[in-house]
Amino acid sequence: MKSVFFSGLFLVLGSCTSASYTDYDSQNTTLDSTYNSNELEELIEPYRVEVNQQMNSIIGFTDSALTAFKPESPLGNFVADILFDYVMKKQTRPFPDLKAENIMVMLNFGGLRAPINAGEITIGSVFELMPFDNTLEIVRLDSTGFMQLMDYLYQSHGQPVSNARFELTESKRKALISNQEVDLKQPIYVCTSDYLAGGGDKMDFLKNAKIKWNSGILLRTIFIDYIRRINQIDPVQIDGRMKISR
Amino acid sequence: MERRRFIKNIGLGSAGLISLTSGTWNDRRKKVTILHTNDTHSHIDPFPLNHSKYPGQGGVERRKMLIDQIREQEKNVLLLDAGDVFQGTPFFNVHGGVIELKLMSAMGYDAATMGNHDFDGGMDGFLNALPHANFPFLCANYDFRRTVLAGKTKPYQIFKKSGIKIGVFGLGVELDGLVSRELYKETRYLDPIKNGQMWASFLRHEEGCQLVVCLSHLGYEARLNDFSDKVLATETEDIDLIIGGHTHTFMEKAETWKNKAGKSVLINQVGWAGLMLGRVDFFFNDKDELDTVSLSNVNNNYCLV
């Protein structure tokens, strides 16, 4: 009865200006093992079976976890070094003048989506690390582009690189490729992902480069093949390849 | 004037009656409980026990259990997500986002917005998964008219809980430089601050919403672009709560900012991967409402208890 009366009153009053709340409370909750049920498993199960079939295959082993952090990290070095190894081992080179002395690898920390945990490495681990269907791309930079690359590395507090060493401060840009001073009169090749080559993460210096070559090979496939071949991953060191001081 | 006072008095009288039957002052305050997630990134299972950062945490079962518990205790619950539902575990690579949306539907989500990774399966990928969501995707600053998603999302949704009108709208991050063009195709990006202000004003003043919530995938702080939740909070008015995402920012609870008009606006975000459930409770207090002598206060506190 009451509610009928009150809703009648609401209608009479018609459109009214809106009031707002007078007080609030907020508390976010971490979902740890305090909360548990298995109500959703029935829904998930058929999807899980198919995922597991594809993902649970073991491809290698690591004693220590590989994690990512700036400016330089074991995971960043590991994946960048795999790509450098891949490009150097390829029988055919997309550019005739491409050699160890003028190519470096650069990825982005944002693209490494999960650490590789200690223990068995499965196909699923690599999917979690690199869920995107990104392909390997090589971009040719001129000196302007390479200076912009160093500015980007400085401003973004470092990114995963291979075959290169950087010492960057506000006023100084120092780079070695294959442990040699970079010759800015010659082109420099950057091996990266198609996402970054297309200007992803605002890497405009890659987007603006005129000469690029796409391998069509998924980065994930390159990682999986490498880990399968090596099987036991040696501990990955931080070797000071990315030194940034502010 | 006389009539207004008369109605107010009736209201007061009725409130007295209700308070006699329903007990304490606190029981009469209406409460809207907003629960939320962001950047769940296809994390259906808890992290493995050997995970270096979050061993054994997260997972949809736990999320559902907590949500169900809260729904048992609270009458007016809204469950929202601020985007990046897709991408992050093989579930997405194998099934294209279908199971993520099925689970959100089963948990009773009321609305979500799209994050940049929700474009990772391309426009067709999102379109194919979308029928498995029984809740709307709210996108107020992506113009999809020249894409297959035309008409598949909407800018806002209004919910009514115990008579309180809650307007929810969604804002997304700029896709250029973040998502490959082949994935987002002819999607046009619209200024989130201008459009956010426009929809917030519309919901507050045209629709008369007592609570305006923005699901934002702009990010807590600007990274490589100009917009962020902080900018949205301080350069607009009429928004009560910004539920953030994108930057995977862990917050213990919502924080208060001052909007352009000097009023409070809350920002809350709960990291990523479904590791946390965010919660903000709003109270609608009749004492305060009577002070402001607004007719709607009568509605809030007496008509709609």
Side-chain angles (χ1 to χ4, degrees):
Chain A
M1 271 311 285
K2 233 179 247 166
S3 68
V4 172
F5 169 72
F6 290 138
S7 23
L9 192 59
F10 174 71
L11 285 177
V12 170
L13 297 172
S15 71
C16 41
T17 57
S18 51
S20 62
Y21 68 96
T22 56
D23 197 5
Y24 82 94
D25 239 349
S26 174
Q27 188 59 56
N28 304 332
T29 308
T30 299
L31 294 166
D32 56 23
S33 53
T34 324
Y35 305 97
N36 243 328
S37 76
N38 56 355
E39 274 181 63
L40 294 168
E41 188 52 32
E42 201 181 330
L43 188 62
I44 304 168
E45 219 255 329
Y47 292 89
R48 188 194 304 286
V49 168
E50 207 179 319
V51 167
N52 288 350
Q53 279 167 359
Q54 293 190 32
M55 298 297 154
N56 282 355
S57 151
I58 296 162
I59 53 172
F61 193 85
T62 176
D63 284 326
S64 52
L66 302 177
T67 53
F69 45 84
K70 289 180 171 185
E72 187 197 341
S73 65
L75 186 63
N77 290 357
F78 179 66
V79 294
D81 289 348
I82 291 176
L83 296 188
F84 179 64
D85 174 84
Y86 175 83
V87 172
M88 286 297 106
K89 283 202 169 76
K90 263 180 80 74
Q91 297 293 318
T92 52
R93 298 268 163 85
F95 303 101
D97 61 334
L98 189 158
K99 53 187 179 201
E101 288 71 32
N102 64 12
I103 185 165
M104 62 169 283
V105 175
M106 183 181 65
L107 294 169
N108 64 327
F109 276 113
L112 307 179
R113 305 301 286 193
I116 294 179
N117 296 312
E120 289 167 345
I121 305 172
T122 62
I123 288 189
S125 325
V126 184
F127 262 86
E128 290 187 18
L129 163 67
M130 175 50 68
F132 316 116
D133 292 339
N134 287 163
T135 52
L136 183 142
E137 189 152 325
I138 296 176
V139 178
R140 186 156 95 171
L141 292 185
D142 57 16
S143 58
T144 312
F146 190 73
M147 293 307 289
Q148 288 168 344
L149 178 147
M150 288 196 284
D151 289 344
Y152 185 97
L153 286 177
Y154 177 73
Q155 276 153 17
S156 66
H157 306 266
Q159 298 295 345
V161 297
S162 179
N163 197 41
R165 302 180 73 83
F166 291 91
E167 277 180 42
L168 309 171
T169 68
E170 180 65 49
S171 57
K172 193 179 85 176
R173 299 280 184 270
K174 192 182 170 202
L176 300 177
I177 289 184
S178 249
N179 288 316
Q180 293 173 25
E181 292 275 347
V182 173
D183 179 2
L184 287 173
K185 289 186 224 74
Q186 301 296 321
I188 291 148
Y189 293 98
V190 177
C191 170
T192 186
S193 70
D194 60 336
Y195 166 73
L196 297 176
D201 265 4
K202 300 277 180 193
M203 291 199 187
D204 290 339
F205 53 95
L206 296 182
K207 184 184 184 176
N208 297 337
K210 288 187 183 68
I211 299 172
K212 299 175 193 182
W213 172 80
N214 186 284
S215 68
I217 311 264
L218 293 174
L219 297 183
R220 190 169 54 233
T221 304
I222 297 170
F223 299 153
I224 290 171
D225 290 349
Y226 177 90
I227 296 167
R228 267 212 179 101
R229 180 158 56 83
I230 302 295
N231 195 258
Q232 175 71 42
I233 308 299
D234 292 330
V236 181
Q237 305 302 331
I238 290 176
D239 52 24
R241 63 181 77 176
M242 185 65 64
K243 283 187 180 153
I244 295 175
S245 37
R246 277 160 207 281
Chain B
M1 256 336 268
E2 274 309 303
R3 185 170 165 270
R4 182 181 290 197
R5 187 163 297 139
F6 170 70
I7 292 166
K8 263 173 61 193
N9 288 341
I10 291 178
L12 264 176
S14 314
L17 277 176
I18 293 163
S19 72
L20 279 177
T21 51
S22 64
T24 64
W25 163 262
N26 279 335
D27 288 342
R28 275 193 297 117
R29 292 206 302 178
K30 271 195 281 181
K31 181 176 176 185
V32 170
T33 302
I34 309 277
L35 303 180
H36 59 93
T37 50
N38 57 276
D39 300 87
T40 52
H41 281 296
S42 302
H43 279 267
I44 288 164
D45 294 322
F47 278 99
L49 291 168
N50 65 349
H51 191 271
S52 52
K53 264 191 179 161
Y54 312 110
Q57 288 182 32
V60 289
E61 299 280 13
R62 287 172 186 169
R63 201 193 315 167
K64 179 162 195 301
M65 191 188 176
L66 180 57
I67 291 164
D68 288 350
Q69 271 181 13
I70 294 168
R71 280 208 174 101
E72 272 172 35
Q73 292 155 3
E74 306 294 344
K75 194 173 160 201
N76 306 315
V77 177
L78 271 187
L79 176 59
L80 305 168
D81 185 273
D84 275 7
V85 172
F86 290 177
Q87 191 73 272
T89 71
F91 275 102
F92 177 70
N93 301 92
V94 175
H95 298 294
V98 168
I99 182 63
E100 289 87 329
L101 297 186
K102 277 191 168 183
L103 287 165
M104 285 173 79
S105 301
M107 284 183 267
Y109 273 80
D110 293 290
T113 193
M114 281 178 81
N116 46 306
H117 285 295
D118 298 317
F119 292 85
D120 281 359
M123 302 301 272
D124 290 321
F126 187 80
L127 183 69
N128 293 339
L130 194 56
H132 300 281
N134 65 5
F135 54 90
F137 272 85
L138 308 178
C139 304
N141 68 328
Y142 292 134
D143 177 354
F144 289 132
R145 281 178 296 181
R146 292 164 69 191
T147 75
V148 294
L149 289 184
K152 300 290 179 184
T153 65
K154 42 186 178 176
Y156 70 91
Q157 173 95 7
I158 293 173
F159 300 90
K160 242 183 170 178
K161 295 281 176 185
S162 291
I164 295 173
K165 266 178 115 174
I166 306 146
V168 183
F169 70 101
L171 291 176
V173 66
E174 186 165 15
L175 300 173
D176 181 36
L178 201 58
V179 178
S180 300
R181 179 74 199 271
E182 309 91 82
L183 298 175
Y184 68 83
K185 294 209 162 80
E186 297 296 312
T187 304
R188 261 186 67 223
Y189 189 67
L190 309 175
D191 185 313
I193 308 301
K194 263 191 231 161
N195 280 271
Q197 181 60 71
M198 184 184 83
W199 288 110
S201 299
F202 170 79
L203 290 167
R204 172 81 66 197
H205 304 292
E206 305 288 316
E207 291 289 346
C209 293
Q210 286 107 313
L211 198 61
V212 175
V213 178
C214 175
L215 298 177
S216 159
H217 204 77
L218 298 175
Y220 180 69
E221 280 174 307
R223 285 201 294 204
L224 297 164
N225 41 36
D226 305 328
F227 305 118
S228 69
D229 292 340
K230 286 184 180 177
V231 174
L232 179 69
T234 51
E235 294 185 8
T236 63
E237 49 193 293
D238 296 320
I239 302 174
D240 293 306
L241 169 65
I242 297 167
I243 295 174
H246 189 50
T247 41
H248 297 192
T249 308
F250 283 97
M251 293 167 70
E252 272 177 42
K253 57 183 182 184
E255 53 179 46
T256 312
W257 289 72
K258 284 272 174 263
N259 73 14
K260 205 175 158 188
K263 289 184 182 161
S264 291
V265 48
L266 304 177
I267 301 177
N268 203 13
Q269 192 182 146
V270 284
W272 70 294
L275 286 160
M276 292 178 102
L277 182 71
R279 175 170 181 169
V280 185
D281 295 287
F282 290 97
F283 297 92
F284 293 79
N285 181 324
D286 44 39
K287 188 183 173 195
D288 186 75
E289 316 268 33
L290 282 169
D291 288 344
T292 63
V293 196
S294 154
L295 286 176
S296 65
N297 298 335
V298 179
N299 293 333
N300 286 338
N301 298 294
Y302 307 119
C303 311
L304 309 161
V305 168

Coordinates of all heavy atoms in Angstrom, one line a residue, chain A residues 53-88:
Chain A
Q53 N 44.5 -28.7 -24.3 CA 45.1 -29.6 -25.4 C 46.2 -28.9 -26.2 O 47.2 -29.4 -26.5 CB 44.0 -30.1 -26.3 CG 43.2 -31.3 -25.8 CD 42.0 -31.6 -26.6 OE1 41.7 -30.8 -27.5 NE2 41.2 -32.6 -26.2
Q54 N 45.8 -27.6 -26.5 CA 46.8 -26.8 -27.3 C 48.0 -26.3 -26.5 O 49.0 -26.1 -27.0 CB 46.0 -25.7 -28.0 CG 45.0 -26.1 -29.0 CD 44.5 -25.0 -29.8 OE1 45.2 -24.0 -30.1 NE2 43.2 -25.1 -30.2
M55 N 47.7 -26.0 -25.2 CA 48.7 -25.2 -24.5 C 49.6 -26.0 -23.5 O 50.7 -25.5 -23.1 CB 48.0 -24.2 -23.6 CG 47.2 -23.2 -24.5 SD 48.3 -22.2 -25.5 CE 47.2 -21.8 -26.8
N56 N 49.2 -27.2 -23.1 CA 50.0 -27.9 -22.0 C 51.2 -28.6 -22.5 O 52.0 -29.1 -21.6 CB 49.1 -28.8 -21.3 CG 48.1 -28.1 -20.3 OD1 48.3 -26.9 -20.2 ND2 47.2 -28.8 -19.7
S57 N 51.5 -28.5 -23.7 CA 52.7 -29.2 -24.2 C 54.0 -28.5 -23.7 O 54.1 -27.3 -23.8 CB 52.6 -29.2 -25.7 OG 53.9 -29.2 -26.3
I58 N 54.9 -29.3 -23.1 CA 56.1 -28.7 -22.4 C 57.2 -28.6 -23.5 O 57.5 -29.5 -24.2 CB 56.5 -29.6 -21.3 CG1 55.5 -29.6 -20.2 CG2 57.9 -29.1 -20.7 CD1 55.6 -30.8 -19.2
I59 N 57.8 -27.4 -23.5 CA 58.8 -27.1 -24.5 C 60.2 -26.9 -23.9 O 61.2 -26.8 -24.7 CB 58.4 -26.0 -25.5 CG1 58.0 -24.7 -24.7 CG2 57.2 -26.4 -26.4 CD1 57.8 -23.5 -25.6
G60 N 60.2 -26.6 -22.6 CA 61.6 -26.3 -22.0 C 61.5 -26.2 -20.5 O 60.4 -26.4 -19.9
F61 N 62.6 -25.7 -20.0 CA 62.7 -25.7 -18.5 C 63.6 -24.5 -18.1 O 64.6 -24.2 -18.7 CB 63.2 -27.0 -18.0 CG 63.1 -27.1 -16.5 CD1 61.9 -27.6 -15.9 CD2 64.1 -26.8 -15.6 CE1 61.7 -27.7 -14.6 CE2 64.0 -26.9 -14.3 CZ 62.8 -27.4 -13.7
T62 N 63.2 -23.8 -17.0 CA 64.1 -22.8 -16.5 C 64.1 -22.9 -15.0 O 63.1 -23.1 -14.3 CB 63.7 -21.3 -16.9 OG1 64.5 -20.4 -16.3 CG2 62.2 -21.0 -16.6
D63 N 65.4 -22.8 -14.4 CA 65.5 -22.8 -12.9 C 65.0 -21.6 -12.3 O 64.5 -21.6 -11.2 CB 67.0 -23.1 -12.6 CG 67.4 -24.5 -12.8 OD1 66.5 -25.4 -12.6 OD2 68.5 -24.8 -13.2
S64 N 65.2 -20.4 -13.0 CA 64.8 -19.2 -12.3 C 63.8 -18.5 -13.2 O 63.8 -18.6 -14.4 CB 66.1 -18.3 -12.2 OG 66.7 -18.1 -13.4
A65 N 62.9 -17.7 -12.5 CA 61.9 -17.0 -13.2 C 62.5 -15.9 -14.0 O 63.5 -15.3 -13.6 CB 60.9 -16.4 -12.2
L66 N 61.9 -15.6 -15.2 CA 62.3 -14.5 -16.0 C 61.3 -13.4 -15.9 O 60.1 -13.6 -16.3 CB 62.5 -14.9 -17.5 CG 63.5 -16.1 -17.7 CD1 63.5 -16.5 -19.2 CD2 64.9 -15.7 -17.3
T67 N 61.7 -12.3 -15.3 CA 60.7 -11.2 -15.1 C 61.1 -10.0 -15.9 O 62.3 -9.8 -16.3 CB 60.6 -10.9 -13.6 OG1 61.9 -10.6 -13.1 CG2 60.0 -12.0 -12.8
A68 N 60.2 -9.1 -16.1 CA 60.4 -7.9 -16.9 C 60.3 -6.6 -16.0 O 59.4 -6.5 -15.2 CB 59.4 -7.7 -18.0
F69 N 61.3 -5.7 -16.1 CA 61.2 -4.4 -15.5 C 62.2 -3.5 -16.2 O 63.1 -3.9 -16.9 CB 61.6 -4.5 -14.0 CG 62.8 -5.4 -13.7 CD1 64.1 -4.9 -13.7 CD2 62.6 -6.8 -13.3 CE1 65.2 -5.7 -13.4 CE2 63.7 -7.6 -13.1 CZ 65.0 -7.0 -13.1
K70 N 62.0 -2.2 -15.9 CA 62.8 -1.2 -16.6 C 64.0 -0.8 -15.7 O 63.9 -0.9 -14.5 CB 62.0 0.1 -16.9 CG 61.0 -0.2 -18.0 CD 60.1 1.1 -18.2 CE 59.3 0.9 -19.4 NZ 58.5 2.1 -19.8
P71 N 65.1 -0.4 -16.3 CA 65.3 -0.2 -17.7 C 65.8 -1.5 -18.5 O 65.7 -1.6 -19.7 CB 66.5 0.8 -17.8 CG 67.3 0.6 -16.5 CD 66.3 0.1 -15.5
E72 N 66.3 -2.5 -17.7 CA 66.8 -3.7 -18.3 C 66.4 -4.9 -17.4 O 66.5 -4.8 -16.2 CB 68.3 -3.6 -18.4 CG 68.9 -4.8 -19.2 CD 70.5 -4.9 -19.0 OE1 71.1 -4.0 -18.5 OE2 71.0 -6.0 -19.2
S73 N 66.0 -6.0 -18.0 CA 65.5 -7.1 -17.2 C 65.9 -8.4 -17.8 O 66.1 -8.5 -19.1 CB 64.0 -7.0 -17.0 OG 63.4 -7.2 -18.3
P74 N 65.9 -9.5 -17.1 CA 66.1 -10.8 -17.6 C 65.2 -11.2 -18.8 O 65.6 -11.7 -19.8 CB 66.0 -11.8 -16.4 CG 66.2 -10.9 -15.2 CD 65.7 -9.6 -15.6
L75 N 63.9 -10.9 -18.6 CA 62.9 -11.3 -19.6 C 63.1 -10.5 -20.9 O 63.1 -11.0 -22.0 CB 61.5 -11.2 -19.1 CG 60.4 -11.7 -20.0 CD1 60.5 -13.2 -20.2 CD2 59.0 -11.3 -19.5
G76 N 63.3 -9.2 -20.7 CA 63.5 -8.3 -21.9 C 64.8 -8.8 -22.6 O 64.7 -8.9 -23.9
N77 N 65.9 -9.1 -21.9 CA 67.1 -9.5 -22.6 C 66.9 -10.9 -23.3 O 67.3 -11.1 -24.4 CB 68.2 -9.6 -21.6 CG 68.7 -8.3 -21.1 OD1 68.2 -7.2 -21.5 ND2 69.7 -8.3 -20.1
F78 N 66.2 -11.8 -22.6 CA 65.9 -13.1 -23.1 C 65.2 -13.0 -24.5 O 65.7 -13.6 -25.5 CB 65.1 -13.9 -22.1 CG 64.8 -15.3 -22.5 CD1 65.8 -16.3 -22.7 CD2 63.4 -15.7 -22.7 CE1 65.4 -17.6 -23.1 CE2 63.1 -16.9 -23.1 CZ 64.1 -17.9 -23.3
V79 N 64.1 -12.3 -24.5 CA 63.3 -12.3 -25.8 C 64.0 -11.5 -26.9 O 64.0 -11.9 -28.0 CB 61.9 -11.8 -25.6 CG1 61.1 -12.8 -24.7 CG2 61.8 -10.4 -25.0
A80 N 64.7 -10.4 -26.5 CA 65.3 -9.6 -27.5 C 66.5 -10.4 -28.1 O 66.7 -10.4 -29.3 CB 65.8 -8.3 -26.9
D81 N 67.2 -11.2 -27.2 CA 68.3 -12.0 -27.7 C 67.9 -13.1 -28.6 O 68.6 -13.5 -29.6 CB 69.1 -12.5 -26.5 CG 70.0 -11.5 -25.8 OD1 70.1 -10.3 -26.3 OD2 70.4 -11.7 -24.7
I82 N 66.7 -13.7 -28.3 CA 66.1 -14.7 -29.2 C 65.9 -14.2 -30.6 O 66.3 -14.8 -31.6 CB 64.8 -15.3 -28.6 CG1 65.1 -16.1 -27.4 CG2 64.1 -16.2 -29.7 CD1 63.8 -16.6 -26.7
L83 N 65.4 -13.0 -30.7 CA 65.1 -12.4 -32.0 C 66.4 -12.1 -32.8 O 66.5 -12.3 -34.0 CB 64.2 -11.1 -31.9 CG 62.8 -11.3 -31.3 CD1 62.0 -10.0 -31.4 CD2 62.1 -12.5 -32.0
F84 N 67.4 -11.6 -32.0 CA 68.7 -11.3 -32.7 C 69.3 -12.6 -33.2 O 69.7 -12.7 -34.4 CB 69.7 -10.7 -31.7 CG 71.0 -10.4 -32.3 CD1 71.1 -9.5 -33.3 CD2 72.2 -11.1 -31.8 CE1 72.4 -9.2 -33.9 CE2 73.4 -10.8 -32.4 CZ 73.5 -9.9 -33.5
D85 N 69.2 -13.7 -32.4 CA 69.7 -15.0 -32.8 C 69.0 -15.5 -34.1 O 69.6 -16.0 -35.0 CB 69.5 -16.0 -31.6 CG 69.8 -17.4 -32.0 OD1 71.0 -17.8 -31.9 OD2 68.9 -18.2 -32.4
Y86 N 67.7 -15.2 -34.1 CA 66.8 -15.7 -35.2 C 67.3 -15.0 -36.5 O 67.5 -15.6 -37.6 CB 65.4 -15.4 -34.9 CG 64.4 -15.7 -36.1 CD1 64.0 -17.0 -36.3 CD2 64.0 -14.7 -37.0 CE1 63.2 -17.3 -37.4 CE2 63.2 -14.9 -38.0 CZ 62.8 -16.2 -38.2 OH 61.9 -16.5 -39.3
V87 N 67.4 -13.6 -36.4 CA 67.8 -12.9 -37.6 C 69.2 -13.3 -38.1 O 69.4 -13.4 -39.3 CB 67.7 -11.4 -37.3 CG1 68.2 -10.6 -38.5 CG2 66.2 -10.9 -37.0
M88 N 70.1 -13.4 -37.2 CA 71.5 -13.8 -37.6 C 71.6 -15.2 -38.2 O 72.4 -15.4 -39.1 CB 72.4 -13.7 -36.4 CG 72.7 -12.3 -36.0 SD 73.6 -11.3 -37.3 CE 72.3 -10.3 -37.9

